[in-house]
Amino acid sequence: MEAFAVARVQLSFASIVATPGGAERFATAFYTALWSDTVGIRELFPAGMETMRQRFATAVGWAINRLGDPDTVTAFLTQLGRDHRKYGVRPEHFRSAGRALHTAVRECTPPILWTDALDRTWARVIDLLVGTMADAVADDELPAAWGATVVGHERVLPDLAIIRLETDSPIPYHAGQYMSVQIPQRPHMWRYLSAAIPPNPYGQIEFHVRRVSGGWVSPALVGDTSVGDRWVIGPPLGGLHVDRDSGEDVLMIASGTGLAPLRAQLMEMGMRGDNPRVHLFFGGKYPCDLYDLQTLWQLATTNPWLTVVPVVEETENPWWHPVPVEDPPPGLHRTLHGKLGKVVSQFGSWADRQIQIAGSPSMIKTTLYALSAGGTPRQNIRFDPL
């Protein structure tokens, strides 16, 4: 698609989400139009739609902002289309989704910007988006979801658990990816979790979960999960990976359980003899938030290409978190203090690195800003939208 058309659509979408509550109104308009367009499609989705509306607006914005990189957009939409199979979505449903998306864009774009030319351009973009997803659903030969059994549940902090499962058959994911899960305590409610270990032929998988205040699913994951529980796991998503052919070294930045997809990649790299240099900054508000630091130190001790830099904002744990973080073994990096993004940016621009960021949306946003302000090219930085 020509650059002018891409810029026109990007400006239009920016005008939608720039106003307070704009993304929420856009997502609501889409789902309202979708339910009205096709009888019975509402029943395919969960009763509570707040999280889905947020993810919908995020996913559309992510794809629109990267229309100039068609390979990346195609890969993302292909994965997303396959992920919708777990709801029972069929290829023909995407035609309804395309009409609803066009309606939502038209309703939410400021009237002064909406023209016949913009309408036609949006129609082309929407055909591309929904057509890619529909083709992925039609061509996918993998299961829509996998069954799995919980074999371990370790409460490492009062609000954080490490959950281990064995899937009925191996899930074809790569280290760095995430997937949606549905648990028996919260049927019909899906949440995305990143695999914390690389794939193996035995179908073993591990997730690190932190309880979100006010959340529906994470409290049950942390507090109510038991060995023997049966989970449903959706197809793998995401594109975080280390490009070993680029010749560039790697910067990884993680906070909290955002460590999981980076940890999986490091473990996989540890199985090889030839790797680029990796600097991993692992941050948290309190020392106890660096819950898996001992594992990282063990990896760094046995893999000289890896440097682990712990970062905390506070030097002491709150009284309800009694778990301390010990001093690093000899030769490993001491703990630094401050906001994670600011600490990383103090080391320079990192312009010669391929960069991955994983953590909460607010952490990713502030770290992106700090790196960009320090001269790091945005095109060097990767993070997953969902």
Side-chain angles (χ1 to χ4, degrees), residues 316-327:
E316 296 182 358
N317 293 320
W319 66 269
W320 60 87
H321 281 167
V323 182
V325 174
E326 298 175 359
D327 292 333

mmCIF file with all atom_site columns, all heavy atoms in Angstrom, residues 316-327:
data_model
loop_
_atom_site.group_PDB
_atom_site.id
_atom_site.type_symbol
_atom_site.label_atom_id
_atom_site.label_alt_id
_atom_site.label_comp_id
_atom_site.label_asym_id
_atom_site.label_entity_id
_atom_site.label_seq_id
_atom_site.pdbx_PDB_ins_code
_atom_site.Cartn_x
_atom_site.Cartn_y
_atom_site.Cartn_z
_atom_site.occupancy
_atom_site.B_iso_or_equiv
_atom_site.pdbx_formal_charge
_atom_site.auth_seq_id
_atom_site.auth_comp_id
_atom_site.auth_asym_id
_atom_site.auth_atom_id
_atom_site.pdbx_PDB_model_num
ATOM 1   N N   . GLU A 1 316 ? 14.387 -1.826  50.492 1.00 0.00 ? 316 GLU A N   1
ATOM 2   C CA  . GLU A 1 316 ? 13.867 -2.782  51.470 1.00 0.00 ? 316 GLU A CA  1
ATOM 3   C C   . GLU A 1 316 ? 12.484 -3.256  51.046 1.00 0.00 ? 316 GLU A C   1
ATOM 4   O O   . GLU A 1 316 ? 11.714 -2.516  50.424 1.00 0.00 ? 316 GLU A O   1
ATOM 5   C CB  . GLU A 1 316 ? 13.786 -2.146  52.861 1.00 0.00 ? 316 GLU A CB  1
ATOM 6   C CG  . GLU A 1 316 ? 15.149 -1.762  53.429 1.00 0.00 ? 316 GLU A CG  1
ATOM 7   C CD  . GLU A 1 316 ? 15.033 -1.186  54.837 1.00 0.00 ? 316 GLU A CD  1
ATOM 8   O OE1 . GLU A 1 316 ? 13.882 -1.056  55.323 1.00 0.00 ? 316 GLU A OE1 1
ATOM 9   O OE2 . GLU A 1 316 ? 16.066 -0.871  55.430 1.00 0.00 ? 316 GLU A OE2 1
ATOM 10  N N   . ASN A 1 317 ? 12.177 -4.505  51.431 1.00 0.00 ? 317 ASN A N   1
ATOM 11  C CA  . ASN A 1 317 ? 10.861 -5.062  51.143 1.00 0.00 ? 317 ASN A CA  1
ATOM 12  C C   . ASN A 1 317 ? 9.818  -4.527  52.118 1.00 0.00 ? 317 ASN A C   1
ATOM 13  O O   . ASN A 1 317 ? 10.130 -4.251  53.268 1.00 0.00 ? 317 ASN A O   1
ATOM 14  C CB  . ASN A 1 317 ? 10.894 -6.586  51.264 1.00 0.00 ? 317 ASN A CB  1
ATOM 15  C CG  . ASN A 1 317 ? 11.754 -7.235  50.193 1.00 0.00 ? 317 ASN A CG  1
ATOM 16  O OD1 . ASN A 1 317 ? 11.722 -6.813  49.053 1.00 0.00 ? 317 ASN A OD1 1
ATOM 17  N ND2 . ASN A 1 317 ? 12.515 -8.241  50.570 1.00 0.00 ? 317 ASN A ND2 1
ATOM 18  N N   . PRO A 1 318 ? 8.560  -4.383  51.678 1.00 0.00 ? 318 PRO A N   1
ATOM 19  C CA  . PRO A 1 318 ? 7.497  -4.071  52.633 1.00 0.00 ? 318 PRO A CA  1
ATOM 20  C C   . PRO A 1 318 ? 7.316  -5.235  53.597 1.00 0.00 ? 318 PRO A C   1
ATOM 21  O O   . PRO A 1 318 ? 7.672  -6.373  53.285 1.00 0.00 ? 318 PRO A O   1
ATOM 22  C CB  . PRO A 1 318 ? 6.277  -3.869  51.737 1.00 0.00 ? 318 PRO A CB  1
ATOM 23  C CG  . PRO A 1 318 ? 6.579  -4.630  50.497 1.00 0.00 ? 318 PRO A CG  1
ATOM 24  C CD  . PRO A 1 318 ? 8.062  -4.538  50.307 1.00 0.00 ? 318 PRO A CD  1
ATOM 25  N N   . TRP A 1 319 ? 6.710  -4.948  54.736 1.00 0.00 ? 319 TRP A N   1
ATOM 26  C CA  . TRP A 1 319 ? 6.653  -5.974  55.787 1.00 0.00 ? 319 TRP A CA  1
ATOM 27  C C   . TRP A 1 319 ? 5.887  -7.225  55.368 1.00 0.00 ? 319 TRP A C   1
ATOM 28  O O   . TRP A 1 319 ? 6.143  -8.321  55.857 1.00 0.00 ? 319 TRP A O   1
ATOM 29  C CB  . TRP A 1 319 ? 6.031  -5.389  57.061 1.00 0.00 ? 319 TRP A CB  1
ATOM 30  C CG  . TRP A 1 319 ? 4.573  -4.995  56.917 1.00 0.00 ? 319 TRP A CG  1
ATOM 31  C CD1 . TRP A 1 319 ? 4.093  -3.780  56.543 1.00 0.00 ? 319 TRP A CD1 1
ATOM 32  C CD2 . TRP A 1 319 ? 3.435  -5.824  57.126 1.00 0.00 ? 319 TRP A CD2 1
ATOM 33  N NE1 . TRP A 1 319 ? 2.732  -3.787  56.493 1.00 0.00 ? 319 TRP A NE1 1
ATOM 34  C CE2 . TRP A 1 319 ? 2.285  -5.034  56.854 1.00 0.00 ? 319 TRP A CE2 1
ATOM 35  C CE3 . TRP A 1 319 ? 3.253  -7.146  57.508 1.00 0.00 ? 319 TRP A CE3 1
ATOM 36  C CZ2 . TRP A 1 319 ? 0.996  -5.525  56.960 1.00 0.00 ? 319 TRP A CZ2 1
ATOM 37  C CZ3 . TRP A 1 319 ? 1.957  -7.643  57.611 1.00 0.00 ? 319 TRP A CZ3 1
ATOM 38  C CH2 . TRP A 1 319 ? 0.852  -6.836  57.344 1.00 0.00 ? 319 TRP A CH2 1
ATOM 39  N N   . TRP A 1 320 ? 4.942  -7.080  54.407 1.00 0.00 ? 320 TRP A N   1
ATOM 40  C CA  . TRP A 1 320 ? 4.167  -8.261  54.034 1.00 0.00 ? 320 TRP A CA  1
ATOM 41  C C   . TRP A 1 320 ? 4.858  -9.117  52.980 1.00 0.00 ? 320 TRP A C   1
ATOM 42  O O   . TRP A 1 320 ? 4.338  -10.118 52.548 1.00 0.00 ? 320 TRP A O   1
ATOM 43  C CB  . TRP A 1 320 ? 2.775  -7.846  53.536 1.00 0.00 ? 320 TRP A CB  1
ATOM 44  C CG  . TRP A 1 320 ? 2.801  -6.951  52.333 1.00 0.00 ? 320 TRP A CG  1
ATOM 45  C CD1 . TRP A 1 320 ? 2.835  -7.329  51.036 1.00 0.00 ? 320 TRP A CD1 1
ATOM 46  C CD2 . TRP A 1 320 ? 2.804  -5.523  52.321 1.00 0.00 ? 320 TRP A CD2 1
ATOM 47  N NE1 . TRP A 1 320 ? 2.852  -6.239  50.202 1.00 0.00 ? 320 TRP A NE1 1
ATOM 48  C CE2 . TRP A 1 320 ? 2.820  -5.105  50.966 1.00 0.00 ? 320 TRP A CE2 1
ATOM 49  C CE3 . TRP A 1 320 ? 2.783  -4.546  53.316 1.00 0.00 ? 320 TRP A CE3 1
ATOM 50  C CZ2 . TRP A 1 320 ? 2.833  -3.767  50.594 1.00 0.00 ? 320 TRP A CZ2 1
ATOM 51  C CZ3 . TRP A 1 320 ? 2.781  -3.215  52.935 1.00 0.00 ? 320 TRP A CZ3 1
ATOM 52  C CH2 . TRP A 1 320 ? 2.803  -2.840  51.601 1.00 0.00 ? 320 TRP A CH2 1
ATOM 53  N N   . HIS A 1 321 ? 6.044  -8.700  52.562 1.00 0.00 ? 321 HIS A N   1
ATOM 54  C CA  . HIS A 1 321 ? 6.844  -9.492  51.637 1.00 0.00 ? 321 HIS A CA  1
ATOM 55  C C   . HIS A 1 321 ? 8.177  -9.814  52.319 1.00 0.00 ? 321 HIS A C   1
ATOM 56  O O   . HIS A 1 321 ? 9.138  -9.075  52.198 1.00 0.00 ? 321 HIS A O   1
ATOM 57  C CB  . HIS A 1 321 ? 7.115  -8.722  50.342 1.00 0.00 ? 321 HIS A CB  1
ATOM 58  C CG  . HIS A 1 321 ? 5.963  -8.718  49.395 1.00 0.00 ? 321 HIS A CG  1
ATOM 59  N ND1 . HIS A 1 321 ? 5.899  -7.883  48.315 1.00 0.00 ? 321 HIS A ND1 1
ATOM 60  C CD2 . HIS A 1 321 ? 4.838  -9.452  49.345 1.00 0.00 ? 321 HIS A CD2 1
ATOM 61  C CE1 . HIS A 1 321 ? 4.778  -8.094  47.650 1.00 0.00 ? 321 HIS A CE1 1
ATOM 62  N NE2 . HIS A 1 321 ? 4.119  -9.046  48.262 1.00 0.00 ? 321 HIS A NE2 1
ATOM 63  N N   . PRO A 1 322 ? 8.252  -10.921 53.027 1.00 0.00 ? 322 PRO A N   1
ATOM 64  C CA  . PRO A 1 322 ? 9.462  -11.203 53.805 1.00 0.00 ? 322 PRO A CA  1
ATOM 65  C C   . PRO A 1 322 ? 10.620 -11.766 52.995 1.00 0.00 ? 322 PRO A C   1
ATOM 66  O O   . PRO A 1 322 ? 11.700 -11.990 53.539 1.00 0.00 ? 322 PRO A O   1
ATOM 67  C CB  . PRO A 1 322 ? 8.972  -12.243 54.806 1.00 0.00 ? 322 PRO A CB  1
ATOM 68  C CG  . PRO A 1 322 ? 7.888  -12.969 54.078 1.00 0.00 ? 322 PRO A CG  1
ATOM 69  C CD  . PRO A 1 322 ? 7.205  -11.924 53.227 1.00 0.00 ? 322 PRO A CD  1
ATOM 70  N N   . VAL A 1 323 ? 10.415 -12.025 51.687 1.00 0.00 ? 323 VAL A N   1
ATOM 71  C CA  . VAL A 1 323 ? 11.445 -12.707 50.917 1.00 0.00 ? 323 VAL A CA  1
ATOM 72  C C   . VAL A 1 323 ? 12.557 -11.741 50.539 1.00 0.00 ? 323 VAL A C   1
ATOM 73  O O   . VAL A 1 323 ? 12.320 -10.754 49.844 1.00 0.00 ? 323 VAL A O   1
ATOM 74  C CB  . VAL A 1 323 ? 10.844 -13.335 49.647 1.00 0.00 ? 323 VAL A CB  1
ATOM 75  C CG1 . VAL A 1 323 ? 11.912 -14.077 48.863 1.00 0.00 ? 323 VAL A CG1 1
ATOM 76  C CG2 . VAL A 1 323 ? 9.694  -14.260 50.013 1.00 0.00 ? 323 VAL A CG2 1
ATOM 77  N N   . PRO A 1 324 ? 13.793 -11.963 50.990 1.00 0.00 ? 324 PRO A N   1
ATOM 78  C CA  . PRO A 1 324 ? 14.897 -11.070 50.616 1.00 0.00 ? 324 PRO A CA  1
ATOM 79  C C   . PRO A 1 324 ? 15.564 -11.500 49.311 1.00 0.00 ? 324 PRO A C   1
ATOM 80  O O   . PRO A 1 324 ? 15.361 -12.616 48.840 1.00 0.00 ? 324 PRO A O   1
ATOM 81  C CB  . PRO A 1 324 ? 15.877 -11.235 51.777 1.00 0.00 ? 324 PRO A CB  1
ATOM 82  C CG  . PRO A 1 324 ? 15.690 -12.675 52.172 1.00 0.00 ? 324 PRO A CG  1
ATOM 83  C CD  . PRO A 1 324 ? 14.223 -13.002 51.931 1.00 0.00 ? 324 PRO A CD  1
ATOM 84  N N   . VAL A 1 325 ? 16.329 -10.630 48.721 1.00 0.00 ? 325 VAL A N   1
ATOM 85  C CA  . VAL A 1 325 ? 17.190 -10.967 47.591 1.00 0.00 ? 325 VAL A CA  1
ATOM 86  C C   . VAL A 1 325 ? 18.630 -10.855 48.072 1.00 0.00 ? 325 VAL A C   1
ATOM 87  O O   . VAL A 1 325 ? 19.061 -9.789  48.514 1.00 0.00 ? 325 VAL A O   1
ATOM 88  C CB  . VAL A 1 325 ? 16.957 -10.028 46.394 1.00 0.00 ? 325 VAL A CB  1
ATOM 89  C CG1 . VAL A 1 325 ? 17.974 -10.309 45.300 1.00 0.00 ? 325 VAL A CG1 1
ATOM 90  C CG2 . VAL A 1 325 ? 15.546 -10.225 45.853 1.00 0.00 ? 325 VAL A CG2 1
ATOM 91  N N   . GLU A 1 326 ? 19.340 -11.946 48.014 1.00 0.00 ? 326 GLU A N   1
ATOM 92  C CA  . GLU A 1 326 ? 20.696 -11.968 48.547 1.00 0.00 ? 326 GLU A CA  1
ATOM 93  C C   . GLU A 1 326 ? 21.657 -11.245 47.605 1.00 0.00 ? 326 GLU A C   1
ATOM 94  O O   . GLU A 1 326 ? 21.350 -10.990 46.447 1.00 0.00 ? 326 GLU A O   1
ATOM 95  C CB  . GLU A 1 326 ? 21.139 -13.420 48.738 1.00 0.00 ? 326 GLU A CB  1
ATOM 96  C CG  . GLU A 1 326 ? 20.253 -14.188 49.746 1.00 0.00 ? 326 GLU A CG  1
ATOM 97  C CD  . GLU A 1 326 ? 20.631 -15.650 49.814 1.00 0.00 ? 326 GLU A CD  1
ATOM 98  O OE1 . GLU A 1 326 ? 21.552 -16.053 49.078 1.00 0.00 ? 326 GLU A OE1 1
ATOM 99  O OE2 . GLU A 1 326 ? 20.010 -16.381 50.602 1.00 0.00 ? 326 GLU A OE2 1
ATOM 100 N N   . ASP A 1 327 ? 22.843 -10.933 48.116 1.00 0.00 ? 327 ASP A N   1
ATOM 101 C CA  . ASP A 1 327 ? 23.873 -10.314 47.291 1.00 0.00 ? 327 ASP A CA  1
ATOM 102 C C   . ASP A 1 327 ? 24.292 -11.271 46.183 1.00 0.00 ? 327 ASP A C   1
ATOM 103 O O   . ASP A 1 327 ? 24.268 -12.492 46.350 1.00 0.00 ? 327 ASP A O   1
ATOM 104 C CB  . ASP A 1 327 ? 25.093 -9.954  48.141 1.00 0.00 ? 327 ASP A CB  1
ATOM 105 C CG  . ASP A 1 327 ? 24.785 -8.829  49.116 1.00 0.00 ? 327 ASP A CG  1
ATOM 106 O OD1 . ASP A 1 327 ? 23.891 -8.024  48.801 1.00 0.00 ? 327 ASP A OD1 1
ATOM 107 O OD2 . ASP A 1 327 ? 25.421 -8.771  50.178 1.00 0.00 ? 327 ASP A OD2 1
#
